[in-house]
Amino acid sequence: MNDHRTVGIIMIEDDEGHARLIEKNIRRAGILNDLKHFTDGTTALDHLFEAADGPAKNGPALVLLDLNLPDMSGTDILARIKAEDSPLKRTPVVVLTTTDDKVEIQRCYDLGCNVYITKPVNYESFAQAIRQLGLFLSVIQVPEIED
């Protein structure tokens, strides 16, 4: 089954301002893929694994994940997505967070994150980082979900 469905972008980010900035700059980079925004881990996980139009049932996706969420840690979500028995284990996950703690960065890579981006505090650098992420998203190849 190789119909090259467009990759859906799942953004898990509780800060509305950051979410708007991320979406605006992804769009500015010419990425028109469907983008779904979740503000907490519970709803996001439910969509990822259970929703009929979610990645586990409907394939391929890319996850933009903030680590600091109101209801659970982003690393827990990352661990669930990348678990050995997860249908989403090959789904690319881009961690976007304000934490530049080396231990946290290593932990995310150990859990299987594909890219770790620290949100610059400065608005312009953040916008620039997201524009570059948009360019990255325009060329990235995402594996199909296996049935």
Side-chain angles (χ1 to χ4, degrees):
M1 188 162 146
N2 207 351
D3 55 353
H4 286 287
R5 283 169 296 184
T6 60
V7 175
I9 299 171
I10 310 287
M11 174 169 53
I12 309 171
E13 166 63 80
D14 64 323
D15 181 315
E16 290 292 346
H18 284 177
R20 273 197 301 275
L21 186 66
I22 290 166
E23 180 160 11
K24 189 172 86 183
N25 285 290
I26 283 177
R27 298 299 182 218
R28 201 175 273 167
I31 304 294
L32 304 173
N33 303 38
D34 181 44
L35 191 149
K36 288 193 169 62
H37 174 214
F38 298 92
T39 52
D40 66 84
T42 312
T43 350
L45 280 171
D46 188 57
H47 176 77
L48 284 163
F49 287 96
E50 304 304 330
D53 64 340
K57 296 189 174 16
N58 196 33
L62 177 125
V63 177
L64 302 177
L65 177 62
D66 181 22
L67 293 184
N68 309 309
L69 297 166
D71 58 339
M72 67 177 68
S73 149
T75 47
D76 294 342
I77 298 173
L78 179 60
R80 287 275 303 279
I81 293 172
K82 296 293 189 175
E84 201 41 54
D85 59 351
S86 162
L88 301 176
K89 67 177 176 229
R90 293 200 184 97
T91 298
V93 177
V94 176
V95 171
L96 273 171
T97 185
T98 45
T99 314
D100 62 358
D101 170 358
K102 285 192 177 50
V103 176
E104 190 76 342
I105 294 171
Q106 284 169 343
R107 203 170 100 178
C108 285
Y109 279 112
D110 287 345
L111 286 169
C113 98
N114 300 77
V115 183
Y116 189 106
I117 299 173
T118 305
K119 293 179 192 168
V121 180
N122 164 316
Y123 174 89
E124 201 31 65
S125 327
F126 187 39
Q128 184 59 36
I130 299 299
R131 276 197 292 276
Q132 288 166 345
L133 175 66
L135 295 171
F136 171 69
L137 296 183
S138 67
V139 296
I140 189 175
Q141 291 289 319
V142 173
E144 291 287 322
I145 306 291
E146 288 169 11
D147 299 324

